[in-house]
Amino acid sequence: MITKGLFLLIIFTSATIFGHTQESIKNEIDLFDNLNQIGNAGNSAENMTPGFAYDNRYEGIKGSPYWFEDWGVGKVDFIGFKSYENVLIKYDVVNQKVVLKLGTDSLEYIVEPEIIERFYSTHLGTENRFVKFDKFLFEKPKDKNKFYRVVHNGEITVIHEVTKYLKKADFQGAYAAGETYDEFIKKEAYFILLPNGKFKEIILKENSVAKGLPASKTKLFKAYFEENNIKLKTEQSLRLALDYVENH
């Protein structure tokens, strides 16, 4: 159950790094205090608070539990609350947690996804938008509601899923043929929103995407690749093709 206390989490970034005003400095101090209060409560109140001080539980494991391994500068939109920009952010896809960090604070904090509507994270100059979708919006229902990265959002919607799981070291066999280290294994999937309101899994191939398009758009979509003599292999080519379809 979401209590009023969940909305006391105020997110704002370091004025030292981003050069904000005195009001920003006050907000940063409030954020630091609130995160620490939540962290203290999270360690002593049956882990029912919306966030807690992050521990380095993944040290020594090959790979990363995060969508992007590096910190990104992002924005968080809270459900029924306000938005905060210029926060340092990572997305832990293993545990479905959003991890925040203040610019001048070495501590990492987890914010529970239940209080987040969407968030943004910029990497390599590209802003990525993550939106939470209900598990029953998929042709094959998921086991939980979670965040997906929006690849294209217009008349036609395409989203991207990354899942990871921890593969434990395998010391079995006469010659120890298995891996001798724990490792995060990554899987990816793309989904297109069908006219019936359900997401269908696709691969980045013309025929696969075309099967998820409205009948009136299929011919245009295939024509785009024929006219440009290219193949659908990347997200960029998919976005360009869908832009073409939506504008013709």
Side-chain angles (χ1 to χ4, degrees), residues 235-248:
E235 287 185 8
Q236 177 64 11
S237 59
L238 174 61
R239 283 192 290 265
L240 290 173
L242 293 180
D243 285 340
Y244 174 83
V245 166
E246 292 175 346
N247 289 287
H248 287 77

Side-chain angles (χ1 to χ4, degrees), residues 27-229:
N27 288 337
E28 181 192 342
I29 294 171
D30 290 343
L31 168 60
F32 181 82
D33 289 343
N34 285 330
L35 284 175
N36 277 289
Q37 289 171 7
I38 290 170
N40 291 335
N43 291 327
S44 61
E46 298 182 358
N47 202 27
M48 294 298 288
T49 52
F52 54 88
Y54 190 67
D55 59 21
N56 293 320
R57 70 189 72 184
Y58 300 130
E59 287 185 352
I61 299 175
K62 186 176 180 179
S64 166
Y66 304 109
W67 190 295
F68 299 114
E69 187 168 353
D70 298 329
W71 290 98
V73 178
K75 172 186 173 185
V76 183
D77 293 338
F78 288 94
I79 295 174
F81 200 43
K82 65 183 300 183
S83 301
Y84 291 95
E85 299 182 359
N86 295 324
V87 296
L88 297 180
I89 188 168
K90 283 184 178 182
Y91 180 31
D92 179 346
V93 297
V94 174
N95 297 293
Q96 299 297 316
K97 309 291 185 182
V98 178
V99 186
L100 303 177
K101 182 178 179 182
L102 291 181
T104 57
D105 180 15
S106 61
L107 294 178
E108 302 172 14
Y109 302 90
I110 289 176
V111 179
E112 297 293 336
E114 287 78 9
I115 65 171
I116 296 176
E117 183 172 357
R118 68 182 66 86
F119 65 91
Y120 304 77
S121 182
T122 298
H123 287 267
L124 301 177
T126 299
E127 182 181 72
N128 300 277
R129 181 161 67 102
F130 292 84
V131 177
K132 186 163 49 182
F133 289 100
D134 188 280
K135 61 184 179 181
F136 294 113
L137 286 178
F138 295 81
E139 275 194 334
K140 297 180 180 179
K142 300 288 184 175
D143 59 348
K144 64 176 70 174
N145 301 342
K146 62 180 181 179
F147 290 102
Y148 297 80
R149 183 174 64 87
V150 178
V151 174
H152 187 272
N153 186 29
E155 183 181 347
I156 301 164
T157 299
V158 176
I159 59 177
H160 180 208
E161 175 189 43
V162 166
T163 57
K164 293 187 177 185
Y165 69 92
L166 182 60
K167 180 182 179 182
K168 303 295 290 184
D170 180 9
F171 297 100
Q172 303 299 318
Y175 299 98
E179 301 293 356
T180 58
Y181 49 80
D182 294 346
E183 179 181 12
F184 286 107
I185 304 300
K186 175 182 177 181
K187 293 185 177 181
E188 300 182 68
Y190 290 88
F191 299 87
I192 191 168
L193 186 61
L194 300 173
N196 65 7
K198 296 284 188 179
F199 281 105
K200 172 186 176 63
E201 186 171 356
I202 58 171
I203 59 175
L204 296 185
K205 300 291 184 182
E206 290 104 299
N207 287 338
S208 178
V209 177
K211 290 177 181 178
L213 296 175
S216 60
K217 303 293 185 181
T218 303
K219 187 175 180 179
L220 271 175
F221 181 76
K222 291 184 175 181
Y224 172 84
F225 293 98
E226 293 173 0
E227 292 171 4
N228 291 281
N229 194 28

